[in-house]
Amino acid sequence: MMKRRDFIKQTAVFVTGAALSSSALVMLDPKELLAQRPELRWGFLVDTHKCVGCGFCVKACKIENDIPIEANVTRTWVERYVLKKNGEVLADSPKAALNGFTSELIDQNASGLKEVDADEIAQAFFVPKLCNQCETPACVQVCPVGATYQTADGIVLIDRKWCIGCGYCVMGCPYGVRFFHPVEHVADKCNFCYHRISQGGNTACAQACPFGARKIGNLRDPNDPVAKTVLRDRVGVLRDEYGTKPQVFYLGLSKEVH
Amino acid sequence: MKNHIWRPLYVVAAIVVLILVFRIFYVPEDFGIQERGYTFGFHRLGNEQEWKEFPAKYRDSSYCQDCHYDVTEVFTVSQHAMIQCESCHGAAFDHPENPEKLPIDRSRELCLRCHSQLYTPSSGRSNIPGINPSEHNVGIECSACHNPHNPSLEEM
């Protein structure tokens, strides 16, 4: 026969033990904990008010990163949005804005070039696009061979020797920033000019921008101009609903921009 | 169990062992789970360094200033000062060694990137003086009249 005292004792021990979830007993790796809050996290700020659609950023990016200039692929591009007074939204990006926006005609692909009268336009502006270097990148999660990955400072890179060209990441990116490199025959995308920024330089696009519409910065440094704007200003991100936590922030984003 | 069951099983076991041995030699030593964990950081560590060593093509205007100070002196106080030299003169690479001369883009299209007049009321573009390229001196290079290094209309 078990005594009442022993029964209560043993029950208490059992309940406490069972209440401890197994995950609480996992040893924490200090390296992994530190990586969650490193001192450096690259972020990008795009000011759509300042962008004039000159496309110098696209040209600089293509030359800097060895993307064939006339090939129909690019690591960054600029979109033009024309919001008409009747609510219609038109958008285009002729040749990814490699040669800038020089015509009033809006490229509507199959339906040709569309002329919009100035009186009908409510708003018209330019939105530069590039890789968002997401905090939880969908493209990385789907890679079956560990060829694409994120560095501790937040940049998503592609291992050109390891990529098998399956294209899952190209499909997985909600922002459509990935493509096949026509010469290297592997997946490719913007990496914030990792070779430049890791040596204290600026990205080729931000350097080429005459109006300061593009800026790169360290989001962990409270004195960094980009971090300051992201913290204090009203900034938006693209396609927040995908839960990828993009780290390219936009000033002057409108609901028509995706 | 009978021999005809064991024999194919040995073959399967041998294939598994072969694959595991191949894997030891094929997968580089620095391949593994790095800082961002298994989901986002599973990669070959050496590739980070490979990307850092990717050659840069663009310098910046301060690189040009060292030799071409006669031009940059005027240019840096002009209305075009915020444009990088390399935007029109081409990426510097290792100029003046390689290439010796940079290809200058003097085309109308280059100027039109900013100066083609578009109706863009909610963009900085509307603050830039613009022309209609199909009416304004068609066929003539802009630099025939305008000095890109000092574009002030008063000094034309």
Side-chain angles (χ1 to χ4, degrees):
Chain A
M1 270 297 278
M2 189 186 263
K3 283 184 192 158
R4 189 195 301 187
R5 180 185 291 259
D6 287 339
F7 174 76
I8 292 170
K9 255 190 190 168
Q10 283 174 20
T11 310
V13 168
F14 177 78
V15 169
T16 318
L20 256 177
S21 89
S22 60
S23 65
L25 298 170
V26 170
M27 287 295 282
L28 289 169
D29 183 356
K31 219 172 88 185
E32 214 167 295
L33 271 180
L34 270 175
Q36 284 169 9
R37 248 353 256 184
E39 279 170 26
L40 174 63
R41 207 305 175 192
W42 295 110
F44 208 92
L45 182 69
V46 176
D47 189 340
T48 59
H49 299 291
K50 287 181 180 165
C51 181
V52 306
C54 68
F56 276 141
C57 51
V58 182
K59 184 187 162 200
C61 172
K62 281 201 143 183
I63 293 168
E64 178 67 31
N65 294 297
D66 285 335
I67 311 297
I69 202 95
E70 285 304 319
N72 195 20
V73 288
T74 182
R75 287 186 175 193
T76 185
W77 67 96
V78 183
E79 293 170 358
R80 163 169 58 184
Y81 283 83
V82 176
L83 317 183
K84 286 170 69 176
K85 286 177 181 158
N86 65 6
E88 198 186 341
V89 181
L90 298 166
D92 74 338
S93 184
K95 290 189 96 177
L98 173 64
N99 303 314
F101 291 87
T102 54
S103 169
E104 293 219 295
L105 302 172
I106 300 156
D107 188 357
Q108 293 298 288
N109 300 319
S111 38
L113 298 169
K114 192 162 184 176
E115 202 177 341
V116 180
D117 208 49
D119 310 332
E120 297 175 49
I121 298 174
Q123 286 186 49
F125 53 91
F126 304 96
V127 182
K129 297 267 180 89
L130 67 165
C131 175
N132 286 286
Q133 316 292 354
C134 304
E135 196 55 34
T136 53
C139 56
V140 172
Q141 255 179 305
V142 299
C143 180
V145 294
T148 186
Y149 58 92
Q150 191 161 45
T151 60
D153 49 13
I155 305 296
V156 175
L157 296 174
I158 297 150
D159 188 339
R160 286 184 169 174
K161 286 186 189 147
W162 220 243
C163 176
I164 56 168
C166 71
Y168 283 177
C169 59
V170 180
M171 303 302 280
C173 173
Y175 307 96
V177 304
R178 282 179 176 251
F179 57 91
F180 274 112
H181 196 292
V183 179
E184 303 287 340
H185 301 296
V186 290
D188 202 87
K189 67 161 194 69
C190 157
N191 58 15
F192 282 4
C193 285
Y194 201 54
H195 57 297
R196 297 173 67 93
I197 58 172
S198 56
Q199 271 148 46
N202 199 353
T203 70
C205 61
Q207 187 174 293
C209 180
F211 303 97
R214 290 167 171 259
K215 279 187 199 130
I216 182 140
N218 177 8
L219 298 177
R220 296 278 185 267
D221 178 3
N223 297 316
D224 186 290
V226 170
K228 271 186 188 170
T229 309
V230 171
L231 285 169
R232 294 176 193 169
D233 255 316
R234 290 178 292 276
V235 291
V237 292
L238 296 171
R239 301 188 184 177
D240 199 20
E241 66 276 18
Y242 284 81
T244 48
K245 298 179 191 152
Q247 303 295 307
V248 173
F249 299 91
Y250 286 85
L251 279 165
L253 205 58
S254 134
K255 70 178 193 309
E256 288 81 5
V257 181
H258 296 289
Chain B
M1 272 195 282
K2 282 172 194 162
N3 233 2
H4 73 275
I5 295 173
W6 280 114
R7 261 182 286 170
L9 272 179
Y10 286 142
V11 174
V12 169
I15 291 171
V16 169
V17 169
L18 252 168
I19 291 171
L20 288 175
V21 170
F22 174 75
R23 193 177 170 274
I24 289 169
F25 290 106
Y26 188 73
V27 178
E29 248 174 62
D30 59 347
F31 195 99
I33 300 161
Q34 317 296 353
E35 287 104 329
R36 288 288 279 112
Y38 180 72
T39 321
F40 303 117
F42 187 58
H43 68 286
R44 187 168 63 90
L45 197 59
N47 186 242
E48 289 183 24
Q49 195 54 36
E50 285 168 26
W51 274 115
K52 283 180 186 172
E53 284 160 11
F54 191 83
K57 282 83 178 173
Y58 279 85
R59 308 288 160 185
D60 72 69
S61 294
S62 57
Y63 178 79
C64 315
Q65 212 164 354
D66 291 345
C67 305
H68 301 282
Y69 44 83
D70 49 329
V71 186
T72 50
E73 215 172 7
V74 189
F75 184 65
T76 45
V77 292
S78 80
Q79 286 145 295
H80 274 169
M82 71 288 215
I83 302 174
Q84 287 284 319
C85 306
E86 289 166 296
S87 289
C88 310
H89 292 268
F93 292 87
D94 291 319
H95 175 78
E97 280 83 36
N98 177 38
E100 254 177 65
K101 267 186 106 66
L102 296 176
I104 306 174
D105 188 348
R106 290 195 174 87
S107 65
R108 273 172 78 89
E109 284 69 32
L110 182 93
C111 309
L112 292 177
R113 283 170 177 264
C114 295
H115 294 293
S116 166
Q117 190 143 40
L118 304 179
Y119 186 70
T120 51
S122 31
S123 153
R125 178 78 169 235
S126 47
N127 304 326
I128 302 174
I131 53 115
N132 183 345
S134 54
E135 285 171 9
H136 186 91
N137 299 316
V138 184
I140 304 171
E141 269 180 14
C142 307
S143 55
C145 310
H146 304 269
N147 176 5
H149 292 142
N150 186 13
S152 169
L153 290 177
E154 282 147 30
E155 287 178 41
M156 256 177 77

